[in-house]
Amino acid sequence: MSGDATAHDLNGNLVNTSFFLSQSKRASYTKSTHSTREQEDTERSVWRSIFPIDTLPVLDSTNHINYLMKGLHELSSGHESLDASTPWLCFWILHSLEILSGPPLSADTKSAVVQTLRHCVDAEFGGYGGGPLQRGHLATTYAAVCALVTLGTEEALQSIDILSIKKLINNVHYSDGSLSLHVDGELDVRAAYCAAVVVRLLNLDLKLFSLCIRIIGNDNLCYL
Protein backbone atom coordinates (compact mmCIF):
# COMPACT_ATOMS: atom_id res chain seq x y z
CA MET A 1 0.00 0.00 0.00
CA SER A 2 1.38 3.39 -0.91
CA GLY A 3 2.32 5.97 1.72
CA ASP A 4 -0.56 8.28 0.84
CA ALA A 5 -3.15 5.52 1.44
CA THR A 6 -4.24 5.18 -2.18
CA ALA A 7 -4.50 2.13 -4.40
CA HIS A 8 -5.87 1.00 -7.74
CA ASP A 9 -8.92 -1.22 -7.96
CA LEU A 10 -9.25 -3.99 -10.54
CA ASN A 11 -10.49 -1.47 -13.12
CA GLY A 12 -7.41 0.67 -12.68
CA ASN A 13 -9.19 3.45 -10.82
CA LEU A 14 -7.22 5.27 -8.14
CA VAL A 15 -9.02 5.10 -4.79
CA ASN A 16 -8.33 6.62 -1.39
CA THR A 17 -8.24 3.90 1.27
CA SER A 18 -7.67 6.08 4.33
CA PHE A 19 -11.31 5.75 5.45
CA PHE A 20 -10.82 2.07 6.18
CA LEU A 21 -7.37 2.21 7.77
CA SER A 22 -8.93 2.42 11.22
CA GLN A 23 -10.40 -1.05 10.68
CA SER A 24 -6.93 -2.53 11.12
CA LYS A 25 -6.81 -1.04 14.63
CA ARG A 26 -10.00 -2.78 15.71
CA ALA A 27 -8.11 -5.52 17.53
CA SER A 28 -6.57 -2.95 19.84
CA TYR A 29 -9.91 -2.16 21.51
CA THR A 30 -12.19 -5.09 20.63
CA LYS A 31 -11.95 -8.45 22.34
CA SER A 32 -11.19 -11.18 19.82
CA THR A 33 -13.92 -13.80 19.71
CA HIS A 34 -14.94 -16.52 17.31
CA SER A 35 -17.58 -14.17 15.85
CA THR A 36 -15.20 -11.21 15.37
CA ARG A 37 -12.61 -13.46 13.72
CA GLU A 38 -15.23 -14.85 11.33
CA GLN A 39 -16.36 -11.28 10.54
CA GLU A 40 -12.80 -10.20 9.77
CA ASP A 41 -12.27 -13.25 7.54
CA THR A 42 -15.49 -12.42 5.66
CA GLU A 43 -14.40 -8.79 5.21
CA ARG A 44 -11.03 -9.83 3.82
CA SER A 45 -12.71 -12.28 1.44
CA VAL A 46 -15.03 -9.57 0.09
CA TRP A 47 -12.20 -7.03 -0.26
CA ARG A 48 -10.02 -9.48 -2.16
CA SER A 49 -12.81 -10.28 -4.60
CA ILE A 50 -12.90 -6.60 -5.64
CA PHE A 51 -9.48 -5.15 -4.83
CA PRO A 52 -5.93 -6.52 -4.95
CA ILE A 53 -4.65 -7.92 -1.69
CA ASP A 54 -3.61 -5.34 0.94
CA THR A 55 -5.75 -2.52 -0.48
CA LEU A 56 -9.06 -1.29 0.82
CA PRO A 57 -12.09 0.43 -0.78
CA VAL A 58 -13.15 3.99 -0.04
CA LEU A 59 -16.56 5.28 1.03
CA ASP A 60 -17.85 7.90 -1.40
CA SER A 61 -19.64 10.06 1.18
CA THR A 62 -20.85 12.65 -1.31
CA ASN A 63 -22.69 10.16 -3.51
CA HIS A 64 -24.17 8.40 -0.49
CA ILE A 65 -25.43 11.69 0.95
CA ASN A 66 -27.00 12.67 -2.40
CA TYR A 67 -28.70 9.26 -2.60
CA LEU A 68 -30.02 9.56 0.97
CA MET A 69 -31.29 13.11 0.48
CA LYS A 70 -33.16 12.03 -2.63
CA GLY A 71 -34.62 9.06 -0.73
CA LEU A 72 -36.17 11.34 1.86
CA HIS A 73 -38.42 12.78 -0.83
CA GLU A 74 -38.87 9.99 -3.36
CA LEU A 75 -37.94 6.31 -3.54
CA SER A 76 -37.59 4.26 -6.70
CA SER A 77 -40.07 1.54 -7.66
CA GLY A 78 -37.51 -1.00 -6.42
CA HIS A 79 -38.50 -0.08 -2.87
CA GLU A 80 -42.11 -1.14 -3.39
CA SER A 81 -41.46 -4.40 -1.54
CA LEU A 82 -40.53 -2.34 1.55
CA ASP A 83 -44.03 -0.93 1.89
CA ALA A 84 -44.21 -2.39 5.42
CA SER A 85 -40.89 -0.79 6.40
CA THR A 86 -41.72 2.93 6.33
CA PRO A 87 -40.29 3.65 9.83
CA TRP A 88 -37.17 1.68 8.97
CA LEU A 89 -36.58 3.65 5.78
CA CYS A 90 -36.95 6.90 7.71
CA PHE A 91 -34.55 5.73 10.41
CA TRP A 92 -31.97 4.26 8.02
CA ILE A 93 -31.85 7.45 5.95
CA LEU A 94 -31.77 9.86 8.90
CA HIS A 95 -29.22 7.82 10.84
CA SER A 96 -26.98 7.46 7.79
CA LEU A 97 -27.10 11.20 7.15
CA GLU A 98 -26.20 11.78 10.79
CA ILE A 99 -23.19 9.45 10.55
CA LEU A 100 -22.02 11.00 7.28
CA SER A 101 -22.48 14.57 8.58
CA GLY A 102 -24.97 15.34 5.83
CA PRO A 103 -26.40 18.82 5.21
CA PRO A 104 -29.06 20.24 7.55
CA LEU A 105 -32.58 19.19 6.63
CA SER A 106 -35.15 21.87 5.89
CA ALA A 107 -37.98 22.44 8.35
CA ASP A 108 -40.45 21.21 5.72
CA THR A 109 -38.53 17.96 5.22
CA LYS A 110 -38.34 17.30 8.97
CA SER A 111 -42.04 17.99 9.34
CA ALA A 112 -42.86 15.67 6.42
CA VAL A 113 -41.00 12.81 8.13
CA VAL A 114 -42.91 13.46 11.36
CA GLN A 115 -46.25 13.42 9.54
CA THR A 116 -45.32 10.24 7.69
CA LEU A 117 -44.60 8.46 10.97
CA ARG A 118 -47.79 9.79 12.57
CA HIS A 119 -49.73 7.81 9.98
CA CYS A 120 -47.95 4.62 11.10
CA VAL A 121 -49.41 4.67 14.64
CA ASP A 122 -51.66 1.67 15.28
CA ALA A 123 -54.73 2.89 17.17
CA GLU A 124 -55.95 -0.65 17.89
CA PHE A 125 -52.93 -2.51 19.24
CA GLY A 126 -50.58 0.40 19.96
CA GLY A 127 -47.12 1.36 18.78
CA TYR A 128 -46.02 2.04 15.22
CA GLY A 129 -46.72 -0.33 12.35
CA GLY A 130 -44.76 -0.69 9.14
CA GLY A 131 -47.08 1.76 7.36
CA PRO A 132 -50.57 3.28 7.56
CA LEU A 133 -53.25 0.90 8.89
CA GLN A 134 -50.65 -1.78 9.67
CA ARG A 135 -50.42 -3.61 12.99
CA GLY A 136 -48.14 -2.20 15.68
CA HIS A 137 -44.78 -3.98 15.88
CA LEU A 138 -41.90 -3.53 18.33
CA ALA A 139 -39.29 -3.43 15.56
CA THR A 140 -41.00 -0.65 13.60
CA THR A 141 -41.81 1.13 16.87
CA TYR A 142 -38.09 1.06 17.67
CA ALA A 143 -37.29 2.42 14.20
CA ALA A 144 -39.93 5.17 14.41
CA VAL A 145 -38.79 6.35 17.85
CA CYS A 146 -35.13 6.33 16.81
CA ALA A 147 -35.98 8.31 13.66
CA LEU A 148 -37.91 10.93 15.63
CA VAL A 149 -35.19 11.21 18.28
CA THR A 150 -32.60 11.60 15.51
CA LEU A 151 -34.64 14.48 14.07
CA GLY A 152 -34.74 15.97 17.55
CA THR A 153 -37.13 18.83 16.78
CA GLU A 154 -39.87 19.83 19.18
CA GLU A 155 -42.48 18.67 16.68
CA ALA A 156 -40.76 15.29 16.29
CA LEU A 157 -40.40 14.65 20.01
CA GLN A 158 -43.93 15.78 20.85
CA SER A 159 -45.34 13.56 18.13
CA ILE A 160 -44.13 10.37 19.87
CA ASP A 161 -47.30 8.66 21.07
CA ILE A 162 -46.22 7.56 24.56
CA LEU A 163 -49.59 6.06 25.54
CA SER A 164 -49.77 4.06 22.32
CA ILE A 165 -46.24 2.70 22.81
CA LYS A 166 -47.03 1.68 26.40
CA LYS A 167 -50.16 -0.04 25.11
CA LEU A 168 -48.16 -2.08 22.59
CA ILE A 169 -45.49 -3.09 25.10
CA ASN A 170 -48.12 -4.17 27.63
CA ASN A 171 -49.94 -6.10 24.90
CA VAL A 172 -46.84 -8.11 23.93
CA HIS A 173 -45.35 -8.58 27.42
CA TYR A 174 -46.10 -11.99 28.94
CA SER A 175 -46.23 -12.90 32.62
CA ASP A 176 -43.03 -14.99 32.41
CA GLY A 177 -41.08 -11.92 31.23
CA SER A 178 -40.91 -12.78 27.54
CA LEU A 179 -42.00 -10.39 24.78
CA SER A 180 -43.33 -10.92 21.30
CA LEU A 181 -42.72 -8.56 18.41
CA HIS A 182 -46.43 -7.97 17.87
CA VAL A 183 -49.73 -9.20 19.26
CA ASP A 184 -49.91 -12.98 18.68
CA GLY A 185 -46.42 -12.79 17.16
CA GLU A 186 -43.27 -14.83 17.63
CA LEU A 187 -41.24 -14.68 20.85
CA ASP A 188 -37.85 -13.31 19.97
CA VAL A 189 -34.93 -11.70 21.80
CA ARG A 190 -35.16 -8.88 19.26
CA ALA A 191 -38.45 -7.91 20.91
CA ALA A 192 -36.71 -7.49 24.25
CA TYR A 193 -33.99 -5.37 22.66
CA CYS A 194 -36.43 -3.10 20.80
CA ALA A 195 -38.58 -2.66 23.89
CA ALA A 196 -35.55 -1.93 26.10
CA VAL A 197 -34.25 0.76 23.73
CA VAL A 198 -37.64 2.45 23.44
CA VAL A 199 -38.20 2.37 27.20
CA ARG A 200 -34.75 3.83 27.78
CA LEU A 201 -35.03 6.57 25.15
CA LEU A 202 -38.44 7.68 26.36
CA ASN A 203 -37.71 7.17 30.07
CA LEU A 204 -40.84 5.09 30.48
CA ASP A 205 -41.70 3.67 33.87
CA LEU A 206 -42.28 0.08 32.85
CA LYS A 207 -41.03 -2.71 35.13
CA LEU A 208 -40.42 -5.20 32.36
CA PHE A 209 -36.92 -6.40 32.46
CA SER A 210 -36.16 -8.25 35.70
CA LEU A 211 -37.98 -11.35 34.45
CA CYS A 212 -37.01 -10.61 30.86
CA ILE A 213 -33.30 -10.85 31.69
CA ARG A 214 -33.87 -14.21 33.33
CA ILE A 215 -35.77 -15.46 30.28
CA ILE A 216 -33.03 -14.39 27.85
CA GLY A 217 -30.42 -16.17 29.96
CA ASN A 218 -32.41 -19.39 30.11
CA ASP A 219 -30.62 -22.01 28.01
CA ASN A 220 -33.84 -24.00 27.70
CA LEU A 221 -35.56 -21.23 25.73
CA CYS A 222 -35.21 -21.29 21.98
CA TYR A 223 -34.63 -17.57 21.44
CA LEU A 224 -33.27 -16.80 17.99
Side-chain angles (χ1 to χ4, degrees), residues 3 16 43 47 58 66-67 87 89-90 98 124 130 167 187 217:
N16 178 1
E43 290 174 357
W47 288 336
V58 62
N66 290 338
Y67 175 78
L89 290 168
C90 292
E98 184 82 9
E124 182 178 1
K167 180 179 180 180
L187 298 178

Side-chain angles (χ1 to χ4, degrees), residues 99-162:
I99 291 173
L100 295 172
S101 299
L105 302 178
S106 69
D108 286 345
T109 296
K110 292 178 180 179
S111 186
V113 173
V114 173
Q115 295 309 314
T116 295
L117 292 174
R118 281 185 193 274
H119 291 300
C120 296
V121 174
D122 178 6
E124 182 178 1
F125 294 101
Y128 292 81
L133 302 179
Q134 295 183 24
R135 177 171 290 192
H137 194 287
L138 277 177
T140 46
T141 297
Y142 161 88
V145 170
C146 287
L148 293 166
V149 170
T150 300
L151 280 178
T153 63
E154 183 176 357
E155 181 188 16
L157 298 178
Q158 289 185 350
S159 76
I160 298 174
D161 194 329
I162 301 291

Side-chain angles (χ1 to χ4, degrees), residues 54-75:
D54 296 329
T55 65
L56 302 173
V58 62
L59 177 65
D60 189 338
S61 299
T62 300
N63 278 340
H64 279 77
I65 289 171
N66 290 338
Y67 175 78
L68 293 165
M69 293 295 290
K70 180 181 178 182
L72 271 179
H73 298 91
E74 181 180 5
L75 292 170

Side-chain angles (χ1 to χ4, degrees), residues 17-30 39-40 43-44 47 56-57:
T17 63
S18 58
F19 177 83
F20 287 92
L21 293 182
S22 60
Q23 298 296 320
S24 64
K25 301 177 182 178
R26 184 162 45 197
S28 65
Y29 57 84
T30 302
Q39 177 179 328
E40 290 165 359
E43 290 174 357
R44 282 192 289 269
W47 288 336
L56 302 173

Side-chain angles (χ1 to χ4, degrees), residues 163-210:
L163 293 178
S164 180
I165 290 172
K166 284 184 176 181
K167 180 179 180 180
L168 173 64
I169 294 177
N170 286 326
N171 279 336
V172 298
H173 182 221
Y174 295 89
S175 59
D176 65 355
S178 60
L179 293 104
S180 60
L181 284 164
H182 58 86
V183 174
D184 297 327
E186 71 273 28
L187 298 178
D188 194 311
V189 73
R190 292 174 302 167
Y193 172 76
C194 291
V197 172
V198 169
V199 167
R200 179 65 174 172
L201 283 174
L202 302 181
N203 196 29
L204 301 183
D205 184 23
L206 294 173
K207 309 298 184 184
L208 294 175
F209 299 108
S210 57

Side-chain angles (χ1 to χ4, degrees), residues 7-20:
H8 289 87
D9 65 15
L10 295 181
N11 295 320
N13 300 311
L14 188 66
V15 296
N16 178 1
T17 63
S18 58
F19 177 83
F20 287 92

